[in-house]
Amino acid sequence: MIISSKVEKLKYLKGEQDQRVSDLIGETYEEWNCWEPVLINAATGSGKTTFIKEKLLEEAMYYNKKILFFVNRNALKQELIRDFTNIQKRKDITFDNSSISRIDDGPFTWKKVGRVMVVSYQSARKFFKYSRAEGTEENSFIQDHNYAVFDECHFFMSDAEFNAETDLILDDCINNCKKLTRIYMSATMDLVFDQILDKEKWDREHPLFVKYAGPLYLGLFPERLKNRIRKYATDNRYSNFSNILVQNRIIKEFFWCREHGFFYCIPENYSKYNFCFFNPDQNWSMITNIIKKSKEKFLIFVASKKTGNNLQKYFENIGIDSIFMIAGSNTSFANIISDKGTFEQKVLIATKVLDNGISLSSNIDGGVRNIVIDNFFDEIDMKQMLGRLRGHNEINVYLRETSEKNVMRLLLRKKGVLKIMKNYSNISSILKQGEI
């Protein structure tokens, strides 16, 4: 749950548990614009990406618009490329293999799928740094898009512990997409909510007044918003609305009391999960016995590559069919996970690389209805892992009990991070005072 004083300044639409994102958004997306950020904090499986793939893509196809889609994991990128390809093949008779291409610019690759460009945050960061060095920041193919979707945007905070550039990536994304409608999506936006709005220059004034210095005129805004401005002028009996100076004054009045952005929120529902714990001293024997007796498939998250390799070898020796997927594997997730959201093996072992974006179905015959989570303490990681299984069936979740030693190790690591933050804060305050 997001608790922030900034919420009251946004157009806040709160949904119910199990509500679909498309139903919550309704037609309000027709008012979205490049000055007011759009934040969608909705439970896993509620249809955030589905809204983009179906409703927003349909809008783009009808009105000749384009979508720039940022992702945090290559596994998610592969799945999105496949989905965007299949959807446009069905809906656009002009879509063919020539509609799918790569934009190669030195070491940077952007995947173009019809009206959608898909790129990872990490690749985008390299490209933006390169563009600055070359003096080509106002890149034409980026500005050619209308929407920028920042998927799994908790990345800007959750990956910061091992990626020192997440804050800079967010800066780059906003600065290079300032003329695009920016849409932030996550099931775990709690930690990054205030950071995003601060970077978006959210302030006491409406962002339009902060970001736009020129005269305001009706042509700057989407059609639905134009109609609202016209209605405001009519209701307040303004005349000579065709005059640009009059339009400027009326638009300023309209936005003066308007919310500073859009915030859609759908809470989680964990009632379908059955939680139980297994003892680390049992060395996976409890889980192994459960897998052997069950006819269902299992998804196992491990904390390290070493654990995953050892576990797969152990399963192989006792006759359990399994596959271990990690970042940089020669076999792509798109080849392992079928269009129906399942896999051939009985057990899929994965590291955190599979913790978001990829969808597995629990509804179909042979679906995945069991998750095993090994040694994870982070709330965001846990929610994202649970969210990989989609459907209404009950899910069995097996959580490995942790030892006191592991808890103490985690506390020491977090204390180290807090110490670094404290030292940085002290240095910043000294610099501001001009003492060094």
Side-chain angles (χ1 to χ4, degrees), residues 14-179:
K14 184 176 181 181
E16 303 293 331
Q17 285 184 342
D18 299 323
Q19 185 176 5
R20 302 297 294 172
V21 166
S22 293
D23 295 332
L24 179 62
I25 291 176
E27 295 182 352
T28 58
Y29 74 92
E30 295 177 2
E31 287 188 40
W32 293 354
N33 57 80
C34 65
W35 295 286
E36 299 170 333
V38 178
L39 298 96
I40 305 173
N41 183 58
T44 53
S46 58
K48 297 182 293 296
T49 310
T50 300
F51 171 81
I52 304 297
K53 290 190 290 191
E54 295 182 359
K55 193 67 178 178
L56 200 65
L57 179 56
E58 186 177 300
E59 173 92 353
M61 291 166 65
Y62 187 83
Y63 289 103
N64 195 27
K65 295 181 178 181
K66 295 180 182 178
I67 301 170
L68 186 57
F69 203 112
F70 293 86
V71 297
N72 64 332
R73 301 280 185 265
N74 279 328
L76 172 56
K77 181 180 176 181
Q78 292 167 14
E79 184 177 83
L80 285 169
I81 289 170
R82 180 181 67 187
D83 290 348
F84 281 127
T85 300
N86 292 338
I87 290 168
Q88 291 179 91
K89 278 183 177 178
R90 291 198 311 268
K91 295 186 175 183
D92 185 355
I93 59 173
T94 65
F95 187 91
D96 55 26
N97 289 336
S98 65
S99 304
I100 306 171
S101 61
R102 292 156 60 98
I103 293 182
D104 292 301
D105 194 336
F108 323 110
T109 302
W110 302 61
K111 190 73 173 184
K112 179 179 178 294
V113 187
R115 296 200 166 274
V116 186
M117 185 83 73
V118 185
V119 63
S120 70
Y121 290 114
Q122 296 85 348
S123 181
R125 168 63 177 162
K126 292 177 183 177
F127 175 79
F128 293 141
K129 286 169 70 174
Y130 178 81
S131 298
R132 271 196 298 277
E134 294 294 309
T136 57
E137 261 191 293
E138 292 292 326
N139 193 278
S140 58
F141 82 82
I142 293 177
Q143 305 309 323
D144 192 36
H145 293 76
N146 305 89
Y147 301 100
V149 179
F150 305 110
D151 200 16
E152 309 293 357
C153 65
H154 55 270
F155 158 84
F156 298 118
M157 186 65 75
S158 64
D159 283 27
E161 197 168 325
F162 54 86
N163 182 345
E165 293 195 322
T166 55
D167 191 56
L168 299 174
I169 293 173
L170 178 56
D171 284 337
D172 278 343
C173 286
I174 292 174
N175 291 335
N176 285 274
C177 301
K178 58 190 174 185
K179 295 180 182 179

Side-chain angles (χ1 to χ4, degrees), residues 52 58 64-65 90 136 156 162 165 206 214 232 252 270 275 287 299 304-305 328 336 340-341 343 369 371 420 425:
I52 304 297
E58 186 177 300
N64 195 27
K65 295 181 178 181
R90 291 198 311 268
T136 57
F156 298 118
F162 54 86
E165 293 195 322
H206 189 281
Y232 175 84
K252 281 186 176 180
Y270 294 117
F275 293 93
I287 297 300
L299 170 62
S304 69
K305 181 180 177 180
I336 293 298
K340 294 182 179 179
F343 43 87
R369 296 174 189 169
I371 303 181
I420 292 171
S425 178

Side-chain angles (χ1 to χ4, degrees), residues 278-416:
F278 65 100
N279 194 308
D281 298 330
Q282 292 174 312
N283 196 28
W284 293 91
S285 57
M286 172 185 166
I287 297 300
T288 302
N289 289 332
I290 292 172
I291 293 173
K292 280 184 172 181
K293 293 176 183 178
S294 175
K295 294 181 180 179
E296 298 171 344
K297 293 182 183 290
F298 284 72
L299 170 62
I300 299 180
F301 283 105
V302 293
S304 69
K305 181 180 177 180
K306 180 181 178 181
T307 301
N309 282 323
N310 290 340
L311 190 59
Q312 187 187 19
K313 289 177 183 176
Y314 175 60
F315 284 159
E316 185 180 342
N317 290 335
I318 61 175
I320 294 177
D321 188 18
S322 65
I323 186 168
F324 180 35
M325 295 298 297
I326 58 174
S329 172
N330 290 329
T331 307
S332 71
F333 285 92
N335 292 333
I336 293 298
I337 299 170
S338 71
D339 291 340
K340 294 182 179 179
T342 187
F343 43 87
E344 290 183 7
Q345 297 77 11
K346 188 168 186 179
V347 179
L348 171 59
I349 307 168
T351 56
K352 187 182 173 182
V353 70
L354 194 70
D355 70 349
N356 58 60
I358 299 298
S359 301
L360 297 169
S361 175
S362 66
N363 285 343
I364 62 173
D365 291 337
V368 189
R369 296 174 189 169
N370 302 275
I371 303 181
V372 183
I373 299 178
D374 170 44
N375 273 0
F376 285 94
F377 301 93
D378 189 273
E379 179 186 359
I380 290 178
D381 288 345
M382 187 75 70
K383 287 181 177 181
Q384 292 292 339
M385 289 171 187
L386 293 178
R388 293 316 95 220
L389 298 196
R390 306 297 170 87
H392 302 294
N393 289 72
E394 287 192 354
I395 306 296
N396 299 315
V397 182
Y398 302 93
L399 303 172
R400 181 170 176 168
E401 290 181 356
T402 190
S403 64
E404 182 179 349
K405 181 181 178 181
N406 283 341
V407 173
M408 293 306 297
R409 187 184 297 122
L410 177 69
L411 286 173
L412 286 172
R413 194 177 80 194
K414 295 299 183 184
K415 283 182 179 179

